[in-house]
Amino acid sequence: MMALLFESLFDYGLFLAKTLTILAGLVLVIILLMRGRSGGERRERLEIIDLKDRYRTLTFAIKEFSLSKKAYKALLKEEGKREKAREKAGEEDRKRLFVIEFNGDIRASEVSALRVLVTALLMEARAGDAVLVRLNNAGGMVSEHGLAASQLARIRAKGIPLTVSVDKVAASGGYLMACVANRIIAAPFAVLGSIGVLAELPNFHRLLERHGVDFELHTAGEHKRTLTLFGENTDEGREKLREQLEETHRLFKTFVAENRPDLDLAQVATGEYWHGRRAVELGLVDEIQTSDDFLLAASEGMELLELKYRAHKKPIERLLASMSAAFDRALALWRR
């Protein structure tokens, strides 16, 4: 029975290899076809959305439906007067809350856009401005999420008040980003924490050996490769990988401690995660509040400007991005 299982797995592996080869060939053909058609510079733009205007539009839609025509006209007239007064007060007197949304994946692929947004924001920010980052990130690769956290650190280093709101999840690399903020708010059932590091991979050495397939790996450097997918792993390699994981964990804990010095790392840096209210008790979060309520309260005295960066991608780039996103989603589901 086990022999049949291994044979089935081996056959499936050959089928998968053929399929990937065909897909790679198709992608190469598409690249060659698109190369001649996609001349010109890459187009990009910064979008600025007036959230207060959006909220006002929604509110007036309800008022138009619920009020009499006379009352609604009077309301519009009064709103017009208030708008003129705001314009007369001058732009320089308006405090602004810049809103950035970051949806993370394993590769933190939105970090490129984040870098542009932070740079643009720092060039324009003035006294009285603040930043809200609406973060939804379950973590992933260390270097990519470390870079994303460094971008948020640029805001704090300039003395601009930075709030991170977590409506769903900020775990592992997501919390690495969140901890940079001056203040962290979270919804009651948001997931936070997971201050830990992991590495996992399958090993097909025994399967290949059973079918008479040799795998060779040549390296220069004692620890160039610790564990491998297809070769025979050693206890020495496993131990070295554990050392590397522990070192990364130490860096993670040090970074968190520098940004939230009152945290009891012995209690929270165990790799566990907690929901909003418990996260407040542990000091991972400062307050239970959704990003919507935060924005509603801020709208009383500030302009709300949501920033988005759009880069026009070539068809092949969109195809590869979609394939990468599908892979990330599959990997995330598998890890659950």
Side-chain angles (χ1 to χ4, degrees):
M1 185 66 179
M2 291 300 292
L4 289 174
L5 176 61
F6 283 131
E7 288 179 8
S8 298
L9 288 173
F10 187 71
D11 290 340
Y12 174 74
L14 290 177
F15 169 75
L16 183 61
K18 292 177 182 178
T19 302
L20 292 175
T21 302
I22 294 172
L23 286 175
L26 289 174
V27 170
L28 180 60
V29 170
I30 294 172
I31 292 174
L32 293 175
L33 289 174
M34 296 306 302
R35 182 172 293 176
R37 301 180 185 177
S38 55
E41 295 183 358
R42 180 172 174 149
R43 297 191 300 275
E44 56 186 6
R45 67 181 187 275
L46 176 66
E47 291 183 6
I48 304 174
I49 302 169
D50 187 339
L51 293 180
K52 285 185 70 171
D53 184 61
R54 176 185 288 177
Y55 296 158
R56 194 178 299 119
T57 299
L58 294 173
T59 301
F60 272 78
I62 297 174
K63 291 183 181 297
E64 183 180 13
F65 182 80
S66 57
L67 297 175
S68 66
K69 290 185 178 180
K70 183 177 180 180
Y72 183 66
K73 286 182 179 179
L75 181 66
L76 288 178
K77 186 175 181 180
E78 185 63 29
E79 177 61 23
K81 290 180 181 179
R82 284 196 292 265
E83 183 61 30
K84 287 182 180 179
R86 285 193 292 266
E87 291 178 358
K88 189 175 181 180
E91 295 291 332
E92 294 299 323
D93 297 330
R94 295 186 182 184
K95 295 180 180 179
R96 300 169 298 179
L97 176 66
F98 295 104
V99 182
I100 296 174
E101 190 167 304
F102 188 95
N103 293 296
D105 54 28
I106 291 175
R107 294 175 176 80
S109 56
E110 290 190 7
V111 70
S112 298
L114 181 63
R115 297 172 75 174
V116 175
L117 292 176
V118 171
T119 298
L121 188 156
L122 293 180
M123 293 175 66
E124 166 58 21
R126 58 180 184 244
D129 288 343
V131 177
L132 171 69
V133 175
R134 303 173 87 170
L135 180 66
N136 179 34
N137 189 357
M141 296 180 176
V142 175
S143 55
E144 284 78 357
H145 287 82
L147 178 58
S150 298
Q151 296 306 311
L152 299 187
R154 294 172 62 199
I155 299 173
R156 185 167 176 175
K158 289 294 184 180
I160 302 171
L162 171 63
T163 299
V164 165
S165 74
V166 183
D167 290 327
K168 294 181 180 179
V169 59
S172 193
Y175 193 76
L176 186 73
M177 294 179 64
C179 74
V180 174
N182 301 97
R183 189 167 185 78
I184 304 173
I185 61 175
F189 290 95
V191 174
L192 300 105
S194 190
I195 303 174
V197 185
L198 66 84
E200 54 187 353
L201 76 164
N203 181 264
F204 300 98
H205 171 69
R206 284 183 293 177
L207 178 62
L208 296 178
E209 190 176 48
R210 181 182 293 271
H211 289 276
V213 178
D214 292 327
F215 175 79
E216 294 187 10
L217 176 66
H218 302 274
T219 63
E222 185 180 358
H223 298 299
K224 177 60 179 177
R225 177 69 66 219
T226 53
L227 300 185
T228 172
L229 281 170
F230 304 107
E232 182 176 8
N233 290 321
T234 64
D235 289 337
E236 181 184 4
R238 295 185 183 96
E239 182 59 30
K240 184 60 182 178
L241 179 61
R242 281 192 287 268
E243 289 179 14
Q244 292 171 336
L245 293 177
E246 288 294 338
E247 174 60 21
T248 303
H249 193 207
R250 280 193 292 271
L251 291 173
F252 193 169
K253 290 189 291 184
T254 299
F255 187 83
V256 172
E258 289 172 350
N259 287 282
R260 295 187 72 85
D262 295 332
L263 269 179
D264 182 357
L265 287 179
Q267 186 176 17
V268 300
T270 59
E272 299 171 78
Y273 65 85
W274 296 271
H275 294 288
R277 295 195 183 281
R278 180 57 178 154
V280 172
E281 295 172 2
L282 292 170
L284 292 164
V285 174
D286 298 298
E287 183 181 353
I288 294 297
Q289 188 180 35
T290 65
S291 62
D292 307 287
D293 285 333
F294 181 89
L295 288 170
L296 193 62
S299 67
E300 295 297 324
M302 304 182 77
E303 297 300 308
L304 308 181
L305 303 178
E306 184 174 9
L307 305 182
K308 292 182 178 291
Y309 173 73
R310 307 286 190 187
H312 177 75
K313 294 181 179 179
K314 302 172 184 178
I316 184 59
E317 292 175 324
R318 291 197 295 270
L319 173 62
L320 293 175
S322 297
M323 293 171 62
S324 176
F327 172 78
D328 287 344
R329 286 193 296 270
L331 184 57
L333 288 172
W334 178 73
R335 286 175 61 181
R336 288 179 185 174

